[in-house]
Amino acid sequence: MYLNVHSWYSLRYGTMSVDKLIEEAEGRGITRMVLTDINNSTGVMEFIRKCRKSGGIEPIGGIEFRRDKKLLYIGIARSKEGMKELNDFLTEHNLAKKELPDRSPLFVHAFIVYPFSMHGHPLGPNEFLGIRADELHLLYKNVTEDIKDKLLVLQPVFVSNRIEYRLHEYLRAIDLNTVLSKVAAEDRCRETDQFLMPGELEAKFAKYPFILDNTRRLLDQCRMDYPEGKIKLNRKTFTGNRKDDTALLEKLAWEGMLYRYGKNNKEAQKRLKYELKVINALDFCSYFLITWDIIRYSMSRGYYHVGRGSGANSIAAYCLRITDVDPIELDLYFERFLNEQRTSAPDFDLDFSWDEREDVQDYIFKRYGSTHTALLGTMTTFRDRSVIREIGKVMGLPKAEIDSFTDRSKERQNRDNETFKKILAVHALMSDMPNQRSIHAGGVLVSEEPITYYTALDLPPKGMPVVQWDMYEAEDIGYDKYDIL
């Protein structure tokens, strides 16, 4: 029955982590719900993965679309294809810096739920109206056949309890750069926007059982048909054929062997043969070839690069000129970089001059396609002491008092100050919560499938599309990054 659930990835709005959302829902016997964070799909893959691991909840992905903080509509994916439709729609507007329209396009694999205030507008086959329990009185003697099958239960979830609602108010004040008392009702959620006790939501809609039936019927049509378990999502081949990849990598590596060691270095030959066998067995040929391709382009432009990271342990990388460190001379072990027991990705850090790096990144986007390439994101959190200043500002404290609270030399004298204790209590609740999305220092993803199957894309000032999750989530989903530093 929960079509509009938000995690803390609804930045400066939602308060619950994905783990806590699942825990709260399972504790109330909820077996299906839709994660619909505001203007992002950051948490969808994490939500699906963790629900599957927990086993108690059928996860469904979606996005809540807002413009100028006003709810426009809620998108609910019927499937992986539906999630791509929603991500593509949001991405198009993010990259073009266009405002979201009043009406959603007609999706094939996704549903759209409008707030009940849109009652009276024509609805397409996959479009519905969500009605809250406190709006049911508006249906009195007014349920016509044209909307009877279109009404759904709308019970948004943003917080888990009264304490988190107060935290939500602080987050909203920080976001709006105002004091707590000036956060308007339309700029915050309702205190009732949380999971209800078992049976309570059904009881609120008991006089309108068809609304409950409509909601169940919609949820029954949703299946997040992403493959289970961790799979590799990077571009699978460089040449278009894995066998050809293997042959090309071997050709380039042995040619590089002559360049690096000459014809008669038996130790180097033995080591390269072994490394190529492991690289092929672990299906990393395309990863090496794409890295080699990036280096080939940079050298053709006369750029100087430094290959760092554990990749310096690989003689294959040395022969491909990805690195300039001789692993044999320095007695470096390939197994530290890649072995059959290691499941994490190889690690190449490619350093370029500050005025050349952007051109290299631009080449990667053009070479591998803008729909399959993106910069890696990162997430800043509420951790540093500057947050104390933000909390003090929304409490309306004078600057001098805020300054004293952020002065480490005055910690001892502030220890017994009741206002300072309150600030620290709020800070503790915020600690590690996501604050803003940003860009990773140099991570680039090259995807086999269009990347919007797994995330919508942002367009920060740098001007290149960025995924909405960080390197840790990328690895959990199945992506190995290329570091262009």
mmCIF file of all heavy atoms in Angstrom, residues 368-386:
data_model
loop_
_atom_site.group_PDB
_atom_site.id
_atom_site.type_symbol
_atom_site.label_atom_id
_atom_site.label_comp_id
_atom_site.label_asym_id
_atom_site.label_seq_id
_atom_site.Cartn_x
_atom_site.Cartn_y
_atom_site.Cartn_z
ATOM 1 N N TYR A 368 33.036 5.788 -26.343
ATOM 2 C CA TYR A 368 32.188 4.703 -25.840
ATOM 3 C C TYR A 368 30.711 5.076 -25.727
ATOM 4 O O TYR A 368 29.903 4.250 -25.334
ATOM 5 C CB TYR A 368 32.738 4.206 -24.500
ATOM 6 C CG TYR A 368 34.132 3.647 -24.676
ATOM 7 C CD1 TYR A 368 35.251 4.394 -24.323
ATOM 8 C CD2 TYR A 368 34.334 2.401 -25.265
ATOM 9 C CE1 TYR A 368 36.533 3.902 -24.531
ATOM 10 C CE2 TYR A 368 35.607 1.905 -25.479
ATOM 11 C CZ TYR A 368 36.706 2.664 -25.115
ATOM 12 O OH TYR A 368 37.967 2.173 -25.340
ATOM 13 N N GLY A 369 30.369 6.291 -26.094
ATOM 14 C CA GLY A 369 28.969 6.678 -26.200
ATOM 15 C C GLY A 369 28.433 7.344 -24.942
ATOM 16 O O GLY A 369 28.632 6.845 -23.837
ATOM 17 N N SER A 370 27.725 8.443 -25.138
ATOM 18 C CA SER A 370 27.237 9.208 -23.992
ATOM 19 C C SER A 370 26.178 8.462 -23.191
ATOM 20 O O SER A 370 26.001 8.726 -22.000
ATOM 21 C CB SER A 370 26.663 10.547 -24.470
ATOM 22 O OG SER A 370 25.599 10.332 -25.392
ATOM 23 N N THR A 371 25.475 7.519 -23.812
ATOM 24 C CA THR A 371 24.463 6.772 -23.063
ATOM 25 C C THR A 371 25.072 5.627 -22.253
ATOM 26 O O THR A 371 24.392 5.031 -21.421
ATOM 27 C CB THR A 371 23.388 6.196 -24.003
ATOM 28 O OG1 THR A 371 24.012 5.341 -24.968
ATOM 29 C CG2 THR A 371 22.640 7.310 -24.714
ATOM 30 N N HIS A 372 26.349 5.320 -22.517
ATOM 31 C CA HIS A 372 27.014 4.221 -21.836
ATOM 32 C C HIS A 372 28.166 4.692 -20.946
ATOM 33 O O HIS A 372 28.866 3.863 -20.361
ATOM 34 C CB HIS A 372 27.563 3.213 -22.861
ATOM 35 C CG HIS A 372 26.491 2.519 -23.637
ATOM 36 N ND1 HIS A 372 26.098 1.216 -23.396
ATOM 37 C CD2 HIS A 372 25.698 2.953 -24.649
ATOM 38 C CE1 HIS A 372 25.138 0.873 -24.230
ATOM 39 N NE2 HIS A 372 24.872 1.908 -25.005
ATOM 40 N N THR A 373 28.353 6.000 -20.846
ATOM 41 C CA THR A 373 29.503 6.550 -20.131
ATOM 42 C C THR A 373 29.041 7.640 -19.174
ATOM 43 O O THR A 373 28.159 8.430 -19.507
ATOM 44 C CB THR A 373 30.521 7.148 -21.118
ATOM 45 O OG1 THR A 373 30.769 6.209 -22.169
ATOM 46 C CG2 THR A 373 31.830 7.483 -20.429
ATOM 47 N N ALA A 374 29.637 7.684 -17.996
ATOM 48 C CA ALA A 374 29.308 8.737 -17.029
ATOM 49 C C ALA A 374 30.437 8.877 -16.027
ATOM 50 O O ALA A 374 31.197 7.932 -15.778
ATOM 51 C CB ALA A 374 27.998 8.425 -16.307
ATOM 52 N N LEU A 375 30.535 10.065 -15.464
ATOM 53 C CA LEU A 375 31.452 10.265 -14.351
ATOM 54 C C LEU A 375 30.832 9.673 -13.092
ATOM 55 O O LEU A 375 29.607 9.609 -12.952
ATOM 56 C CB LEU A 375 31.725 11.754 -14.138
ATOM 57 C CG LEU A 375 32.351 12.531 -15.305
ATOM 58 C CD1 LEU A 375 32.619 13.969 -14.890
ATOM 59 C CD2 LEU A 375 33.637 11.870 -15.768
ATOM 60 N N LEU A 376 31.688 9.257 -12.199
ATOM 61 C CA LEU A 376 31.235 8.677 -10.939
ATOM 62 C C LEU A 376 30.876 9.786 -9.959
ATOM 63 O O LEU A 376 31.547 10.814 -9.896
ATOM 64 C CB LEU A 376 32.340 7.790 -10.360
ATOM 65 C CG LEU A 376 32.008 6.897 -9.179
ATOM 66 C CD1 LEU A 376 30.869 5.952 -9.507
ATOM 67 C CD2 LEU A 376 33.245 6.115 -8.772
ATOM 68 N N GLY A 377 29.820 9.574 -9.218
ATOM 69 C CA GLY A 377 29.406 10.552 -8.224
ATOM 70 C C GLY A 377 30.033 10.293 -6.874
ATOM 71 O O GLY A 377 30.758 9.318 -6.655
ATOM 72 N N THR A 378 29.754 11.183 -5.954
ATOM 73 C CA THR A 378 30.122 10.988 -4.554
ATOM 74 C C THR A 378 29.069 11.689 -3.713
ATOM 75 O O THR A 378 28.268 12.477 -4.238
ATOM 76 C CB THR A 378 31.538 11.517 -4.250
ATOM 77 O OG1 THR A 378 31.917 11.143 -2.925
ATOM 78 C CG2 THR A 378 31.595 13.025 -4.361
ATOM 79 N N MET A 379 29.045 11.395 -2.435
ATOM 80 C CA MET A 379 28.031 11.961 -1.562
ATOM 81 C C MET A 379 28.697 12.616 -0.367
ATOM 82 O O MET A 379 29.435 11.960 0.381
ATOM 83 C CB MET A 379 27.078 10.859 -1.085
ATOM 84 C CG MET A 379 25.795 11.358 -0.473
ATOM 85 S SD MET A 379 24.596 11.970 -1.686
ATOM 86 C CE MET A 379 24.118 10.443 -2.516
ATOM 87 N N THR A 380 28.474 13.920 -0.197
ATOM 88 C CA THR A 380 28.958 14.570 1.019
ATOM 89 C C THR A 380 27.940 14.328 2.126
ATOM 90 O O THR A 380 26.740 14.187 1.869
ATOM 91 C CB THR A 380 29.144 16.080 0.814
ATOM 92 O OG1 THR A 380 27.875 16.674 0.502
ATOM 93 C CG2 THR A 380 30.122 16.359 -0.315
ATOM 94 N N THR A 381 28.414 14.248 3.340
ATOM 95 C CA THR A 381 27.538 13.948 4.470
ATOM 96 C C THR A 381 27.634 15.037 5.534
ATOM 97 O O THR A 381 28.535 15.864 5.535
ATOM 98 C CB THR A 381 27.902 12.594 5.105
ATOM 99 O OG1 THR A 381 29.262 12.635 5.539
ATOM 100 C CG2 THR A 381 27.724 11.451 4.109
ATOM 101 N N PHE A 382 26.677 15.019 6.453
ATOM 102 C CA PHE A 382 26.692 15.936 7.589
ATOM 103 C C PHE A 382 27.659 15.392 8.643
ATOM 104 O O PHE A 382 27.259 14.690 9.562
ATOM 105 C CB PHE A 382 25.297 16.062 8.196
ATOM 106 C CG PHE A 382 24.314 16.801 7.340
ATOM 107 C CD1 PHE A 382 23.308 16.112 6.670
ATOM 108 C CD2 PHE A 382 24.371 18.180 7.207
ATOM 109 C CE1 PHE A 382 22.388 16.792 5.889
ATOM 110 C CE2 PHE A 382 23.453 18.866 6.422
ATOM 111 C CZ PHE A 382 22.463 18.173 5.763
ATOM 112 N N ARG A 383 28.935 15.736 8.512
ATOM 113 C CA ARG A 383 29.904 15.192 9.461
ATOM 114 C C ARG A 383 30.758 16.260 10.122
ATOM 115 O O ARG A 383 31.016 16.202 11.308
ATOM 116 C CB ARG A 383 30.823 14.186 8.764
ATOM 117 C CG ARG A 383 30.114 12.948 8.261
ATOM 118 C CD ARG A 383 31.079 11.889 7.793
ATOM 119 N NE ARG A 383 31.792 11.268 8.889
ATOM 120 C CZ ARG A 383 32.618 10.242 8.753
ATOM 121 N NH1 ARG A 383 32.852 9.758 7.558
ATOM 122 N NH2 ARG A 383 33.235 9.723 9.784
ATOM 123 N N ASP A 384 31.227 17.221 9.355
ATOM 124 C CA ASP A 384 32.200 18.156 9.926
ATOM 125 C C ASP A 384 31.512 19.180 10.835
ATOM 126 O O ASP A 384 30.290 19.309 10.878
ATOM 127 C CB ASP A 384 32.996 18.852 8.817
ATOM 128 C CG ASP A 384 32.094 19.605 7.856
ATOM 129 O OD1 ASP A 384 31.411 20.532 8.306
ATOM 130 O OD2 ASP A 384 32.073 19.251 6.660
ATOM 131 N N ARG A 385 32.342 19.945 11.534
ATOM 132 C CA ARG A 385 31.832 20.880 12.529
ATOM 133 C C ARG A 385 31.114 22.087 11.910
ATOM 134 O O ARG A 385 30.428 22.833 12.619
ATOM 135 C CB ARG A 385 32.975 21.352 13.423
ATOM 136 C CG ARG A 385 33.522 20.239 14.309
ATOM 137 C CD ARG A 385 34.657 20.749 15.177
ATOM 138 N NE ARG A 385 34.220 21.715 16.165
ATOM 139 C CZ ARG A 385 33.722 21.391 17.354
ATOM 140 N NH1 ARG A 385 33.585 20.122 17.686
ATOM 141 N NH2 ARG A 385 33.363 22.334 18.205
ATOM 142 N N SER A 386 31.241 22.261 10.597
ATOM 143 C CA SER A 386 30.504 23.353 9.963
ATOM 144 C C SER A 386 28.994 23.156 10.095
ATOM 145 O O SER A 386 28.227 24.120 10.025
ATOM 146 C CB SER A 386 30.889 23.479 8.490
ATOM 147 O OG SER A 386 30.492 22.319 7.770
#
